Amino acid sequence: QKEVEQNSGPLSVPEGAIASLNCTYSDRGSQSFFWYRQYSGKSPELIMSIYSNGDKEDGRFTAQLNKASQYVSLLIRDSQPSDSATYLCAVPPGASNTGKLIFGQGTTLQVKP
Amino acid sequence: EAGVTQFPSHSVIEKGQTVTLRCDPISGHDNLYWYRRVMGKEIKFLLHFVKESKQDESGMPNNRFLAERTGGTYSTLKVQPAELEDSGVYFCASSQDLGAHGYTFGSGTRLTVV
């Protein structure tokens, strides 16, 4: 079992729809969770972080965390073609606070006009 | 504020040659990380510097890889001798505070070993 798992996609949604990206992790001790966006040929860019169970909203983005189910998701409302990218879920190992991150393989999102 | 700078952006070398990648972190950032993404795989941690000290090098694949951060500023990652499986994109990231509060990545160096 991979430490951080994501469906590689591609996930295709029409413009204006809600895109739902999912991630599961294996280490129950993990305390913080990150979503990065990576455009083709570019570097990963941090877009959301979440530390507590529940929802965290930032503009069109909502991160959802369920530690009991070891599940974190990213919702993108009113999806735009510019949201087309690979979304990476990243988790520090255990209760580690060193900054090391374990990444999932990423989900490719395609938003069609 | 300048971002994390990496160079070269691309490097093509022959198997058995040596390549040195460089990363200039954001000024003042004590924490510097190296990651690598091999084709079709997830981004994987290589090592972490705090200033000039190696805090965690658990992800370094083998002794063909040598990372340095002299003076606690820029860092180099040398691969000697390079093998075909070393091909991939090498990312550097830096942060001011210790801890995974999210950090800034450089644009990466795409290394191709032929």
Side-chain angles (χ1 to χ4, degrees):
Chain A
Q1 181 189 7
K2 288 187 176 180
E3 294 174 277
V4 178
E5 291 208 61
Q6 296 181 254
N7 187 323
S8 60
L11 172 66
S12 184
V13 300
E15 183 174 357
I18 295 175
S20 177
L21 305 161
N22 303 316
C23 172
T24 57
Y25 60 94
S26 61
D27 192 331
R28 286 196 168 275
S30 295
Q31 297 295 318
S32 50
F33 307 87
F34 303 90
W35 283 100
Y36 285 81
R37 177 177 62 199
Q38 186 177 25
Y39 292 111
S40 181
K42 303 294 184 181
S43 59
E45 173 195 7
L46 179 68
I47 54 172
M48 286 289 283
S49 59
I50 187 166
Y51 306 94
S52 304
N53 277 330
D55 295 1
K56 179 182 176 182
E57 188 175 315
D58 183 1
R60 296 187 296 112
F61 298 97
T62 298
Q64 298 176 317
L65 175 61
N66 183 326
K67 289 185 180 180
S69 300
Q70 295 173 245
Y71 176 94
V72 57
S73 64
L74 179 70
L75 302 178
I76 306 174
R77 289 183 301 281
D78 187 25
S79 295
Q80 301 297 309
S82 58
D83 294 327
S84 297
T86 296
Y87 289 80
L88 303 163
C89 175
V91 182
S96 167
N97 194 34
T98 63
K100 173 181 178 178
L101 292 176
I102 299 172
F103 283 85
Q105 196 161 349
T107 298
T108 300
L109 173 66
Q110 296 174 347
V111 181
K112 300 196 172 181
Chain B
E1 175 183 75
V4 178
T5 305
Q6 291 186 249
F7 51 93
S9 56
H10 293 83
S11 180
V12 180
I13 62 170
E14 292 184 351
K15 176 181 172 181
Q17 288 187 322
T18 297
V19 63
T20 300
L21 313 180
R22 174 167 167 153
C23 169
D24 287 58
I26 293 173
S27 179
H29 281 193
D30 288 340
N31 296 282
L32 186 149
Y33 306 85
W34 283 97
Y35 286 82
R36 174 175 76 168
R37 186 166 198 166
V38 172
M39 178 80 76
K41 302 287 187 182
E42 63 273 19
I43 295 174
K44 285 202 169 179
F45 170 84
L46 295 178
L47 87 159
H48 168 210
F49 283 100
V50 177
K51 296 185 180 179
E52 68 275 9
S53 299
K54 292 176 185 174
Q55 184 77 11
D56 180 355
E57 51 184 331
S58 61
M60 294 289 266
N62 50 60
N63 59 10
R64 296 185 294 104
F65 289 75
L66 176 63
E68 294 181 322
R69 192 181 182 195
T70 306
T73 54
Y74 70 90
S75 175
T76 57
L77 180 65
K78 182 163 72 174
V79 185
Q80 179 183 30
E83 297 290 345
L84 298 179
E85 64 264 27
D86 301 331
S87 296
V89 182
Y90 289 75
F91 290 106
C92 174
S94 73
S95 68
Q96 186 167 21
D97 301 320
L98 185 66
H101 300 296
Y103 32 66
T104 304
F105 279 87
S107 54
T109 294
R110 181 174 295 278
L111 174 64
T112 303
V113 183
V114 297

